[in-house]
Amino acid sequence: MLRSFIEFFSFSDPNVVYVVVGTLLIGASSSIVGCFTVLRKRSLVGDAIAHAVLPGVCLAFLLHGEKDPLILLLGAFISGWISIIVIDLIVENTRIKTDAALGIVLSVFFGLGILLLTHIQKTGNASQSGLDSFLFGKAASIVGADLYTFGAVAVLLMVAVFAFFREFTLISFDPNYAQSIGMPVKWYQLVLSSLTVLAVTVGIQAVGVVLMAALLITPAVAARFWTHRLWLMIVLAALIGAIANVSGAFISYAAPRMPTGPWIIVVLTFLAMFSMFFAPQRGFLSKWRKARSSKARIFEENVLKLLYQLEEKDGNKKVDRSIQEMLKRRDWKHSEVKAALKRLDRRALVTGQSENWRLSQEGRMEGQRIVRIHRLWELYLTTVMKVAPDHVHETAEVMEHIINPPLEKKLMRLLNKPERDPHDSPIPYAEDDI
Amino acid sequence: MDFWFNDFWIILCGSLVAMSCAILGCFLILRKMAMVGDAISHSVLPGIVVAFFLSGSLSSWTVMLGATSLGLLTTFIIEMLNKRGGVQADAAIGLTFTFLFAVGVILIAANSGNLHIDQDCVLHGEIAYIPLDIGTTIAGIEIPRQAIILSVLFFVISTLVYLGYRGLFLTTFDPEYADAIGVKTTTWHYLLMAAVSLATVVSFESVGAILVVAFLIVPAATAYLLTDHFPSMLLLSCVVGILSSFTGYYLAVYLDGSIAGAISTMMGVFFSLAFLFAPKHGYLAKRLST
Amino acid sequence: MIKRVDNSILEVHDLTVSYHNKPVLWNIDFDLPSGIVAGIIGPNGAGKSTLIKSIMGLISPDQGYTKIFGQPLNEIRSRVSYVPQRESVDWDFPASAMDVVLMGRYSERGFWGRYNDEDRKIAKQSLEQVDMLPFANRQISQLSGGQQQRVFLARALAQQADIYFMDEPFAGVDAATEASILNLLREMSHSGKTMIVVHHDLQSAYDYFDWMILLNRRLIAVGPKADVFTDELIQETYGGNLSILATLGNIMQQKDYPK
């Protein structure tokens, strides 16, 4: 494994150089275009185009009579283009919806392609034609001549996206608005569609017809988890696409029985899953962490509130309260209360040890704040929202942890700094509130 | 005589696949889930390969079970990615089926010595070889194994749709109302998805994993342009399926190409005719009336 | 002004509902007597449809519950019917008016059952009640908007429920349909059924309903229309100051507050 790794990445074999550069170009360029197709919610159009290029390739071969990569590409491009037009034609003129139109175009074009391909194979010149590479991809056998095509297309795509970045962004985000400010939306959509067809025609030579959709969609999905900014999303998608493609090429180099295209897709999907779990902010892990820490904070606030209420009840600020005493008032677990008290101790909000604790001055202020918000909110619900007094407690239990100081001030002013809550408990204020 | 029988069995099997798929396709396109059908047909591949590896045959119970559960898993993953992961619906479909299909292809490549599935089979099936594999002989007539299996499939699907017609119809037309009156919409959804998975798996040997999409969607869409009456739509989609199998077979013979590919092509031809000339919903009718 | 009812058939208890963590309905708490036509009135975005959807359990609330006839919703589904917004379905669907109305009989016949002659009789009666019997076999795509709305009503009628939730049945319908729906609402309330109708037009509301539920993300008033339809309450519904709720909603959305 290590040896093939070194062999592969030392680029001593010129074929390896071709493969690496070729897959890298394909991966990056289709990812860039893919960002726009995904954002325009047309992800599966890429899938339809990929299937639809096959009859074009076969017809180009049949008409031309021999394998000329450029002619085949041209055939692929034309038939991919026609497929987009047919999809729009069906959706605009009949009651058939987009999903079915995609399915129809995808499968019928592909069926025709298969019919032509098998016909060509039976007539005996399929092997030299290399049409198969359009079906399954041939990333592992990219040769020097291919690089010119791939490179040219990649450069073209990047330049186009760079030049029309603002326009593409606008028509992806809000085509109606773009139309209203007089932008030739149809024309830009046409350009974007053509770029997609171009990316697909080239991309299928790496991963094949069926898996092409992933080359467009998956890097964009993965990149989306990391950022809200479009240009950064595009750069990340290109990077992810490039990494996956080169990894796929390497895997099939190290284990020659392994097909390149499928491995590219597997790596891509893993990168997307990784992003989904570990991306900051939008990732599962970060969401889960946030939820857990806010849960812990709410529990701490509830402990402070309880300690404050105990003080309020007997008017004694100078005694320790045992955890046992707290558990009598709330349906909590001993261990979680203890852990919360330890955390509060670290923040100097409580003093004491193991089983017995009391509020510090800061802790008292905090506990009082929670109780105050709880009662203010109950009063707001009964007076402003006209909710029955016996129905307000549950909501106040939630809101006391959400309402922030500015909002609390606002609430207090709105209610004219009230004395008592709907249940006739006093609303406690801190000294400086007077 | 033998030659005639060959034709007959292939056309029969093509028609059975077409009818089973078309019936389900009618529900799929009305639910706007055509591409989910596409996704399922691709993602059952790893299930077929693994189950085939375990059982050694393409038409065993293991294969059907393995692949059907994978089809259900696919719909489940798509929904999870969409609802929990915040991935938009179309991207979730694309992401899921390409991954599972890729895994399937890798499994085939890894076991290429031991498996009797090759990439051609995945792409367009081997319907032409159906008459060679005899299942049983009744009254001196040799009946191919696939013909029996596909008849059972057609029977199962049509029974399901007959018995569950009301529920499928209601949850397809107005799922929100169905929910409100306490209908188990999720059960119906997964029942339909299980049927689609089963149909794709059983049809796999005949038409492959990709062209089955044509069988699912195109006849149903053609029928949808021709009628406003749901039972007629079911019936017409089957008729389109049979006509396509018949004409497709002879087109394939004429061109000496893939039969499944030719049947799909003919489905496209029938769809185009409906698209242009359908009395109420066709292109010309609409253009002429406005 | 929230009128309390002694023997209520619908009890909405402290319902709070959110979309993406942002509450759209706050602490909705009221009950309704039987045999009335109640209108849910409020401006756009007030959460009117959300309210009936969460009462029926189509959207699960963050907090609170609903009881109908004193029972949780799932025990009583067959007595509850629903008329969704007309735009919520695809009218290109290959079905006849009769097919749609028969759907109202689904729960009577269970999972694998079939519709019988009795169901067809009831479906015909329901179509008759909304003056749509002549169109029974017409394809729904060929019906006018008002006629489609009446088919939806007939479907709810065929269910023979006791309480009906209707989402904007008057939206964009012709005069004939409007009259027909009104007639129907009156007739049904006379026979003891309860109708809860989402309605966006303040002008016509007073003529249509017995009771009113004034809503703007929070509940402003519930009660007989004479008590509720006052300048002051209407003003509060359409121009009320919600800055506290709005600010709080934004905080909650940003915080991903765990439920």
Side-chain angles (χ1 to χ4, degrees):
Chain A
M1 186 71 189
L2 183 67
R3 189 204 269 166
S4 42
F5 187 83
I6 295 166
E7 259 172 34
F8 186 78
F9 287 102
S10 66
F11 302 121
S12 50
D13 183 347
N15 289 325
V16 170
V17 178
Y18 298 145
V19 170
V20 169
V21 176
T23 51
L24 200 131
L25 286 171
I26 288 174
S29 56
S30 42
S31 308
I32 291 170
V33 178
C35 284
F36 289 104
T37 37
V38 169
L39 289 175
R40 289 174 69 206
K41 307 222 163 20
R42 290 171 70 94
S43 311
L44 295 171
V45 174
D47 189 35
I49 300 172
H51 286 77
V53 299
L54 193 59
V57 174
C58 296
L59 278 176
F61 177 79
L62 280 173
L63 294 176
H64 190 64
E66 59 187 286
K67 187 198 172 193
D68 177 341
L70 274 181
I71 298 285
L72 295 187
L73 264 181
L74 188 69
F77 186 79
I78 293 173
S79 115
W81 232 101
I82 293 174
S83 76
I84 292 190
I85 295 171
V86 174
I87 292 168
D88 286 342
L89 203 65
I90 294 175
V91 174
E92 275 164 28
N93 290 293
T94 69
R95 62 213 290 211
I96 289 169
K97 311 291 182 293
T98 312
D99 65 318
L102 286 172
I104 292 165
V105 168
L106 178 159
S107 58
V108 171
F109 273 65
F110 190 70
L112 178 64
I114 289 290
L115 177 64
L116 294 173
L117 186 70
T118 42
H119 169 73
I120 294 168
Q121 280 168 347
K122 293 279 171 58
T123 49
N125 48 4
S127 45
Q128 73 265 31
S129 76
L131 298 181
D132 269 5
S133 69
F134 280 90
L135 273 177
F136 303 110
K138 53 152 191 181
S141 52
I142 291 173
V143 293
D146 297 323
L147 286 186
Y148 295 108
T149 329
F150 296 165
V153 170
V155 168
L156 184 68
L157 288 176
M158 284 180 214
V159 168
V161 167
F162 190 73
F164 296 122
F165 184 74
R166 275 180 38 233
E167 288 81 359
F168 286 171
T169 311
L170 196 54
I171 63 162
S172 310
F173 175 67
D174 191 351
N176 292 330
Y177 174 72
Q179 187 91 53
S180 77
I181 60 167
M183 192 185 266
V185 173
K186 283 261 173 220
W187 193 82
Y188 284 116
Q189 281 174 343
L190 207 74
V191 174
L192 205 47
S193 300
S194 312
L195 294 180
T196 314
V197 177
L198 199 59
V200 168
T201 351
V202 176
I204 52 172
Q205 303 190 54
V207 298
V209 164
V210 181
L211 299 175
M212 181 57 217
L215 231 46
L216 292 170
I217 301 168
T218 314
V221 169
R224 186 71 188 83
F225 280 104
W226 298 89
T227 177
H228 288 289
R229 264 170 297 181
L230 181 59
W231 68 266
L232 194 56
M233 176 180 162
I234 292 176
V235 172
L236 281 176
L239 204 66
I240 290 168
I243 293 173
N245 275 33
V246 175
S247 316
F250 168 67
I251 290 169
S252 69
Y253 177 82
R257 244 174 47 172
M258 285 296 160
T260 318
W263 273 108
I264 292 175
I265 282 23
V266 168
V267 175
L268 263 183
T269 314
F270 276 115
L271 290 175
M273 290 300 111
F274 179 84
S275 311
M276 190 155 132
F277 281 98
F278 299 109
Q281 287 176 17
R282 296 195 69 203
F284 282 154
L285 194 70
S286 129
K287 276 190 185 159
W288 177 74
R289 267 218 197 114
K290 237 197 280 175
R292 209 180 61 154
S293 82
S294 84
K295 227 176 173 172
R297 190 184 58 86
I298 287 168
F299 192 77
E300 287 159 27
E301 291 185 351
N302 282 334
V303 170
L304 291 176
K305 184 175 71 167
L306 178 60
L307 286 170
Y308 182 82
Q309 285 167 334
L310 290 171
E311 282 185 0
E312 202 181 38
K313 207 172 152 210
D314 56 18
N316 195 342
K317 298 176 181 175
K318 300 258 167 354
V319 295
D320 284 349
R321 317 278 170 177
S322 70
I323 295 181
Q324 220 49 48
E325 192 184 346
M326 296 184 217
L327 292 182
K328 262 182 235 153
R329 299 281 301 264
R330 293 282 191 280
D331 191 18
W332 288 338
K333 266 191 264 151
H334 187 279
S335 57
E336 57 177 0
V337 179
K338 197 162 180 177
L341 282 163
K342 287 222 172 101
R343 291 198 301 269
L344 289 167
D345 188 22
R346 251 175 274 146
R347 288 161 58 197
L349 294 172
V350 294
T351 59
Q353 50 191 314
S354 87
E355 292 295 307
N356 299 301
W357 299 85
R358 74 173 77 166
L359 290 169
S360 71
Q361 187 50 36
E362 287 77 30
R364 190 166 296 114
M365 297 282 289
E366 186 63 12
Q368 188 196 51
R369 189 181 69 83
I370 316 262
V371 170
R372 182 169 62 240
I373 295 175
H374 182 102
R375 293 178 186 167
L376 277 173
W377 185 251
E378 286 192 343
L379 197 64
Y380 179 79
L381 288 183
T382 51
T383 56
V384 180
M385 309 254 295
K386 292 159 193 141
V387 182
D390 55 334
H391 284 181
V392 294
H393 179 73
E394 206 186 326
T395 323
E397 283 286 293
V398 178
M399 292 307 158
E400 65 190 21
H401 306 294
I402 292 170
I403 290 172
N404 57 16
L407 198 58
E408 182 197 334
K409 284 258 155 54
K410 213 166 156 185
L411 205 54
M412 198 176 76
R413 248 178 282 131
L414 184 85
L415 298 166
N416 285 325
K417 201 174 180 199
E419 300 274 315
R420 303 206 154 250
D421 79 356
H423 311 292
D424 210 32
S425 304
I427 297 176
Y429 293 102
E431 314 274 307
D432 59 348
D433 275 345
I434 309 160
Chain B
M1 187 66 188
D2 259 2
F3 182 73
W4 189 88
F5 257 112
N6 268 0
D7 292 10
F8 170 76
W9 288 124
I10 292 171
I11 293 170
L12 177 75
C13 287
S15 304
L16 286 170
V17 172
M19 289 191 294
S20 309
C21 290
I23 291 172
L24 297 172
C26 288
F27 290 102
L28 282 180
I29 66 166
L30 290 174
R31 284 174 177 247
K32 303 175 184 61
M33 291 181 70
M35 292 312 280
V36 177
D38 178 47
I40 289 179
S41 67
H42 286 71
S43 345
V44 294
L45 186 63
I48 292 176
V49 178
V50 170
F52 178 78
F53 197 60
L54 294 176
S55 71
S57 151
L58 254 184
S59 44
S60 66
W61 289 107
T62 333
V63 172
M64 286 184 205
L65 204 71
T68 306
S69 43
L70 214 74
L72 285 179
L73 185 70
T74 308
T75 34
F76 183 73
I77 295 175
I78 292 172
E79 276 161 43
M80 280 298 115
L81 282 175
N82 186 219
K83 285 187 187 141
R84 292 285 155 82
V87 180
Q88 66 194 46
D90 57 341
I93 292 175
L95 193 115
T96 311
F97 87 78
T98 49
F99 172 68
L100 288 169
F101 190 81
V103 170
V105 175
I106 289 172
L107 286 174
I108 293 177
N111 299 295
S112 54
N114 317 321
L115 278 181
H116 172 66
I117 315 178
D118 57 12
Q119 289 180 318
D120 280 351
C121 177
V122 174
L123 286 174
H124 53 86
E126 290 169 336
I127 199 169
Y129 301 128
I130 280 178
L132 301 180
D133 183 4
I134 302 303
T136 181
T137 310
I138 295 172
I141 301 168
E142 294 173 324
I143 299 172
R145 202 174 43 86
Q146 277 292 309
I148 301 167
I149 296 169
L150 290 170
S151 306
V152 174
L153 173 74
F154 179 64
F155 177 75
V156 169
I157 302 276
S158 40
T159 311
L160 173 82
V161 169
Y162 179 76
L163 291 178
Y165 182 78
R166 286 160 57 255
L168 286 169
F169 192 61
L170 168 59
T171 53
T172 303
F173 174 63
D174 193 350
E176 194 179 49
Y177 171 76
D179 261 335
I181 65 168
V183 177
K184 295 178 175 56
T185 37
T186 321
T187 310
W188 286 110
H189 170 75
Y190 278 106
L191 202 60
L192 182 65
M193 292 304 119
V196 172
S197 313
L198 184 73
T200 12
V201 176
V202 176
S203 315
F204 174 81
E205 208 174 332
S206 310
V207 297
I210 302 170
L211 288 179
V212 74
V213 183
F215 287 66
L216 277 171
I217 300 170
V218 187
T222 311
Y224 185 47
L225 291 179
L226 296 172
T227 177
D228 281 324
H229 182 232
F230 192 67
S232 312
M233 181 175 161
L234 290 173
L235 203 69
L236 272 173
S237 66
C238 290
V239 171
V240 172
I242 295 170
L243 285 177
S244 307
S245 304
F246 198 81
T247 49
Y249 175 71
Y250 288 105
L251 177 67
V253 172
Y254 173 71
L255 283 178
D256 194 11
S258 152
I259 296 168
I263 296 177
S264 313
T265 307
M266 284 318 295
M267 285 174 174
V269 170
F270 286 113
F271 175 80
S272 311
L273 290 175
F275 172 78
L276 288 174
F277 304 114
K280 239 179 347 210
H281 305 294
Y283 182 80
L284 291 180
K286 278 203 175 160
R287 283 291 140 121
L288 291 177
S289 70
T290 50
Chain C
M1 157 70 224
I2 290 167
K3 172 97 172 171
R4 292 288 149 188
V5 188
D6 287 337
N7 42 5
S8 67
I9 54 145
L10 170 68
E11 181 196 352
V12 177
H13 184 103
D14 209 16
L15 214 57
T16 297
V17 186
S18 305
Y19 278 127
H20 306 295
N21 285 318
K22 188 172 185 165
V24 286
L25 287 176
W26 293 85
N27 303 87
I28 309 296
D29 198 290
F30 68 93
D31 26 44
L32 289 180
S34 69
I36 56 160
V37 184
I40 301 182
I41 321 286
N44 276 340
K48 301 184 295 281
S49 300
T50 309
L51 178 60
I52 58 168
K53 281 183 191 171
S54 46
I55 290 175
M56 285 183 299
L58 296 178
I59 302 172
S60 44
D62 298 353
Q63 175 191 305
Y65 60 82
T66 320
K67 278 187 177 174
I68 297 176
F69 304 110
Q71 285 174 291
L73 189 68
N74 278 332
E75 315 273 310
I76 204 86
R77 287 244 184 233
S78 60
R79 293 175 69 186
V80 180
S81 191
Y82 174 43
V83 180
Q85 281 187 22
R86 190 155 47 86
E87 292 80 35
S88 68
V89 301
D90 174 11
W91 291 93
D92 278 338
F93 201 86
S96 67
M98 189 68 180
D99 290 335
V100 175
V101 178
L102 273 172
M103 290 173 183
R105 304 299 300 161
Y106 180 87
S107 304
E108 284 297 302
R109 299 288 160 252
F111 205 80
W112 296 115
R114 310 203 73 75
Y115 299 124
N116 58 27
D117 288 344
E118 194 200 335
D119 296 324
R120 286 195 185 83
K121 209 178 89 195
I122 292 169
K124 275 187 187 153
Q125 283 166 0
S126 309
L127 279 166
E128 177 83 75
Q129 271 181 280
V130 294
D131 305 318
M132 285 291 292
L133 193 54
F135 300 95
N137 293 318
R138 183 76 66 89
Q139 295 309 313
I140 54 171
S141 56
Q142 292 160 40
L143 298 173
S144 73
Q147 290 169 329
Q148 291 173 344
Q149 189 66 58
R150 281 187 272 165
V151 169
F152 258 12
L153 281 169
R155 177 175 70 177
L157 287 178
Q159 211 183 318
Q160 300 183 321
D162 293 307
I163 181 165
Y164 293 81
F165 293 92
M166 306 184 180
D167 202 345
E168 300 265 12
F170 294 104
V173 300
D174 51 291
T177 303
E178 186 184 329
S180 161
I181 297 176
L182 264 183
N183 228 343
L184 188 74
L185 292 179
R186 299 257 155 77
E187 257 173 47
M188 287 170 72
S189 71
H190 285 311
S191 57
K193 316 260 185 192
T194 307
M195 260 87 32
I196 294 133
V197 182
V198 169
H199 191 65
H200 72 285
D201 180 30
L202 199 56
Q203 306 296 326
S204 49
Y206 196 81
D207 300 329
Y208 288 177
F209 307 117
D210 312 324
W211 272 51
M212 284 188 194
I213 299 162
L214 295 184
L215 187 80
N216 190 356
R217 279 177 283 169
R218 71 206 195 281
L219 190 66
I220 284 108
V222 178
K225 62 180 171 186
D227 301 341
V228 168
F229 207 76
T230 63
D231 285 346
E232 191 194 343
L233 289 173
I234 298 289
Q235 172 63 30
E236 205 184 327
T237 312
Y238 282 80
N241 183 357
L242 288 167
S243 69
I244 294 232
L245 293 186
T247 322
L248 195 47
N250 289 337
I251 299 177
M252 290 177 78
Q253 189 171 30
Q254 279 158 19
K255 274 204 172 153
D256 263 341
Y257 186 81
K259 302 230 176 75

